[in-house]
Amino acid sequence: MTFLCVCGMYAQENKTPAAGTQTANRGKDDDNRFEVSKQLDIFNALIKELEMFYVDTIDMRKAMRRGVDAILKGLDPYTEYIPEDEMEDFNIVTTGEYGGIGAMIRYRDGGTVIVEPYRNMPAAEAGLKAGDRILAVDSTNAVGLASDKVSELLKGVPNTKLTLNIQRPGEKKPRKFTLVRKKIVVDQVVYYGVYGDGTGYIYLSGFNDKSAQEVKAAYEDLRQNRNIESLILDLRDNGGGILESAVKIVGLFVPKGKEALTMKGKVSRWDRTFRTYNEPVDTVMPIAVLTNGSSASASEIVAGALQDLDRAVLVGQRSFGKGLVQTTHDLPYDGKLKVTQSKYFIPSGRCIQQLDYIHRNPDGSAAAIPDSLTSVFYTANGRPVRDGGGIRPDFEVDEEKMPTMLYYLYVDRDYILFDYVTDWTINHKTIPPVEDFVYSDEDYEAFKKYIIGKNFQYDRQSVNALKTLKDIAGFEGYSDGDSTLFTALEDRLKPDLERDLDRYRKEIKRILSAEIVKRYYFQYGEMQQNLKNDPTLLKAIEVLKDRELYRKTLGKPASTPVP
């Protein structure tokens, strides 16, 4: 049995249940074992009968996968079966490493297109660009192949060569590139730098087994070479990963031996308490942690532990609320089961799990714990905090809502935005440094003409809601009289592409600017562009600059010096 979120060293505390409890549990365990054996016998017999007597041949592999997925779907979204042919992708997620060319690809219009080459990786170093269509890999024709098959061809042993035939947009003749595969390491610290007056900034995108050392290296560079006086750790849109990596990152900023979290599950002997076990790099520098609704799991462990230990202020929006821990167990034929085995409790004793997957709503959806039923816990300095529903920041900053039109542009199912940026970069060989780059109003007017010419379509939720209301009103007999109200609303809500392009000019220009910058300066440039005038970042800088506000927020005594 392997803990997905636990690898390496940890401290643990075991609790032994009382004798009466052990006897009662033993009886329940015996009943469960009999039921498991009974159901397996039934299932085995059913499969044999189907295989022998069903009128058509059954693809047993697909049938069993559907059955397994249906069983697991009734539990929670995090319990999964990982067959042998998916283990490579699973290992890439946990280690952040694979052998290949370092590029994101996507299937489009009967072939595979490069959508993002990674900085300092073979694809980027060879000159491949977003928009390049892969025609062949070595002697294998890639036209018509699914992108996962092309991905298999691109991956391989580091230091081996491969040749790509590429069709570049705007060119008639294909190009040929020779690349050398290398060990691709996907950095989790996408970008770090300095903002304001000596405030360091680190963006962490995920938690794998190298995340803690990346954060440590970034921090030490900022402190030693950039003379920072405070630090912002950005965990927005970070969905989590390996639990022990989160414990290590907490341990960078709190004294050795501090409790970071406790795991508790059905079997008490598997309960564990995780404490920081390395010497910290800094225990006094003011820290702000940024969160939003997509900060989950390991992100919430870091944010929650630093909040409970009064080591950092939290800025942004309430986090996702995933207080569950998964472990992996080996299965026959080299597969694995990733199963939810425990809940975790951060230092104040609270569990921040939001959804109850056992006691579901009548429609089958998972029930959320209402704020009115949450309990109060206390941080190390006595500040009240609550369980359930994620981690609440000390300073909430409203997140801008994305209109439906922007969602469809961002998802870009028809590649209109992608193709526009590709054409723009063909006509602009270079751009200024990120801090000086400005996407002009003149360029935006050209974008408007481009997208109108493409007949860009997008759903309007208000229009769909009005149609539903009108149908219900008709069914219930309320629309038999004057229908002018519905007609007026329909006219008001009728989609108008040009109007909406002007209405959301600011938001669309921000998306376009980030996508353009990424083509020249990769992910770290995209991050820099997105952080321009970021309200959450600006609020964090403001709080860190006001040392008295920072001290009061953390409940520190007035006599406590804040560096």
Side-chain angles (χ1 to χ4, degrees):
M1 179 178 66
T2 303
F3 281 92
L4 174 64
C5 295
V6 182
C7 49
M9 300 172 60
Y10 53 81
Q12 58 177 310
E13 296 175 357
N14 291 328
K15 299 178 181 178
T16 304
T21 304
Q22 287 180 321
T23 302
N25 287 341
R26 191 177 300 118
K28 291 180 181 178
D29 289 344
D30 289 343
D31 290 343
N32 283 338
R33 290 192 187 99
F34 170 74
E35 193 61 34
V36 168
S37 179
K38 172 183 172 182
Q39 296 303 326
L40 286 175
D41 284 345
I42 294 171
F43 189 75
N44 186 46
L46 184 147
I47 292 297
K48 288 182 177 178
E49 295 296 311
L50 284 174
E51 196 279 329
M52 185 174 295
F53 295 113
Y54 187 71
V55 62
D56 291 321
T57 301
I58 299 174
D59 186 328
M60 200 54 65
R61 184 174 179 272
K62 290 182 178 179
M64 291 296 294
R65 184 61 191 266
R66 287 197 301 270
V68 168
D69 288 345
I71 292 171
L72 300 183
K73 186 178 180 180
L75 303 178
D76 63 56
Y78 315 112
T79 298
E80 301 177 80
Y81 166 54
I82 307 164
E84 179 185 7
D85 58 1
E86 296 177 16
M87 282 304 301
E88 182 179 5
D89 291 338
F90 177 75
N91 291 330
I92 289 172
V93 170
T94 55
T95 65
E97 296 180 357
Y98 65 96
I101 67 170
M104 184 185 298
I105 60 175
R106 187 184 299 170
Y107 186 81
R108 176 187 179 185
D109 300 333
T112 296
V113 173
I114 293 174
V115 294
E116 183 182 351
Y118 298 139
R119 181 189 181 196
N120 297 330
M121 294 293 117
E125 291 176 344
L128 292 171
K129 297 181 181 295
D132 286 348
R133 181 176 292 273
I134 300 175
L135 303 179
V137 181
D138 290 327
S139 59
T140 303
N141 183 6
V143 177
L145 282 183
S147 58
D148 59 339
K149 299 297 183 184
V150 176
S151 178
E152 291 175 9
L153 295 171
L154 297 176
K155 292 176 183 176
V157 179
N159 299 319
T160 56
K161 287 186 178 182
L162 75 160
T163 300
L164 297 183
N165 280 0
I166 296 293
Q167 183 64 60
R168 178 155 292 173
E171 298 181 359
K172 294 182 179 180
K173 292 184 177 181
R175 294 190 181 201
K176 183 174 288 188
F177 293 85
T178 299
L179 299 84
V180 178
R181 296 182 182 93
K182 65 184 286 187
K183 182 180 179 181
I184 307 299
V185 180
V186 181
D187 292 336
Q188 302 301 295
V189 172
V190 176
Y191 166 74
Y192 68 91
V194 179
Y195 286 85
D197 186 14
T199 299
Y201 171 91
I202 299 173
Y203 179 75
L204 183 68
S205 64
F207 290 81
N208 63 23
D209 55 7
K210 295 178 179 60
S211 295
Q213 64 192 60
E214 288 185 34
V215 171
K216 181 180 179 180
Y219 168 78
E220 289 180 338
D221 182 36
L222 290 170
R223 184 184 63 178
Q224 295 169 11
N225 301 320
R226 310 288 290 277
N227 301 315
I228 62 169
E229 298 177 354
S230 57
L231 178 69
I232 295 171
L233 179 61
D234 193 345
L235 300 179
R236 290 177 294 178
D237 299 317
N238 183 325
I242 297 177
L243 182 148
E244 193 192 29
S245 177
V247 176
K248 287 180 179 179
I249 291 173
V250 172
L252 294 174
F253 304 108
V254 303
K256 181 179 179 180
K258 286 286 186 179
E259 179 182 321
L261 78 150
T262 297
M263 282 172 30
K264 295 181 181 180
K266 181 165 61 177
V267 182
S268 60
R269 68 174 179 273
W270 293 341
D271 294 349
R272 285 166 169 77
T273 295
F274 292 81
R275 300 183 183 276
T276 58
Y277 54 84
N278 287 326
E279 291 297 332
V281 295
D282 194 302
T283 60
V284 296
M285 178 180 287
I287 298 175
V289 178
L290 310 187
T291 62
N292 66 5
S294 298
S295 304
S297 194
S299 291
E300 295 175 294
I301 291 172
V302 172
L306 293 178
Q307 185 181 57
D308 283 359
L309 296 171
D310 294 306
R311 180 63 186 92
V313 296
L314 269 57
V315 183
Q317 298 87 44
R318 186 191 295 197
S319 64
F320 180 81
K322 180 178 181 289
L324 306 175
V325 177
Q326 288 71 47
T327 61
T328 57
H329 299 257
D330 293 335
L331 295 176
Y333 302 99
D334 298 319
K336 284 186 183 293
L337 172 66
K338 179 163 74 75
V339 59
T340 298
Q341 186 166 304
S342 308
K343 292 181 178 180
Y344 69 78
F345 300 80
I346 47 182
S348 65
R350 55 181 170 147
C351 176
I352 51 86
Q353 176 64 24
Q354 181 176 21
L355 298 178
D356 184 350
Y357 294 105
I358 301 301
H359 308 97
R360 292 177 178 259
N361 295 318
D363 64 357
S365 62
I369 301 171
D371 288 347
S372 59
L373 296 182
T374 59
S375 300
V376 176
F377 294 78
Y378 295 92
T379 69
N381 290 338
R383 296 187 297 142
V385 288
R386 288 187 171 270
D387 64 355
I391 306 289
R392 296 167 177 82
D394 302 299
F395 297 91
E396 292 204 37
V397 180
D398 291 336
E399 193 168 38
E400 291 185 2
K401 295 181 179 179
M402 181 181 287
T404 304
M405 179 187 186
L406 268 71
Y407 170 79
Y408 279 91
L409 263 178
Y410 200 74
V411 171
D412 201 15
R413 290 187 178 92
D414 296 322
Y415 290 88
I416 292 176
L417 186 69
F418 183 86
D419 289 345
Y420 168 79
V421 174
T422 298
D423 291 346
W424 194 96
T425 57
I426 290 173
N427 295 318
H428 298 77
K429 300 303 180 185
T430 62
I431 63 172
V434 180
E435 54 268 25
D436 299 324
F437 174 73
V438 176
Y439 181 71
S440 69
D441 288 335
E442 182 183 358
D443 280 332
Y444 188 72
E445 291 302 318
F447 170 74
K448 283 173 55 180
K449 292 179 181 178
Y450 177 89
I451 197 170
I452 291 171
K454 294 290 185 179
N455 193 28
F456 173 63
Q457 300 290 324
Y458 58 100
D459 287 340
R460 293 285 298 272
Q461 294 180 14
S462 54
V463 172
N464 296 335
L466 179 62
K467 183 179 183 302
T468 301
L469 177 62
K470 188 176 180 180
D471 291 343
I472 294 173
F475 177 76
E476 295 181 346
Y478 291 113
S479 61
D480 294 339
D482 186 8
S483 62
T484 56
L485 178 61
F486 280 119
T487 302
L489 277 172
E490 286 173 342
D491 289 341
R492 186 177 180 85
L493 297 176
K494 189 175 295 182
D496 185 328
L497 179 58
E498 188 166 3
R499 178 195 64 196
D500 288 346
L501 286 169
D502 286 331
R503 175 181 293 175
Y504 303 122
R505 171 185 292 259
K506 177 184 173 183
E507 293 85 352
I508 296 173
K509 283 184 69 174
R510 186 172 64 244
I511 292 174
L512 284 168
S513 297
E515 290 299 315
I516 287 170
V517 166
K518 183 165 66 173
R519 298 293 181 96
Y520 299 88
Y521 298 110
F522 305 97
Q523 281 188 332
Y524 82 98
E526 179 188 23
M527 280 297 309
Q528 284 180 278
Q529 182 66 32
N530 282 329
L531 288 170
K532 290 180 179 178
N533 300 314
D534 181 316
T536 304
L537 175 66
L538 293 175
K539 182 64 178 179
I541 293 172
E542 175 192 327
V543 173
L544 291 172
K545 186 177 180 180
D546 188 339
R547 295 294 200 257
E548 182 61 17
L549 175 61
Y550 179 83
R551 181 192 65 76
K552 286 183 178 179
T553 302
L554 294 180
K556 294 179 181 291
S559 59
T560 303
V562 179

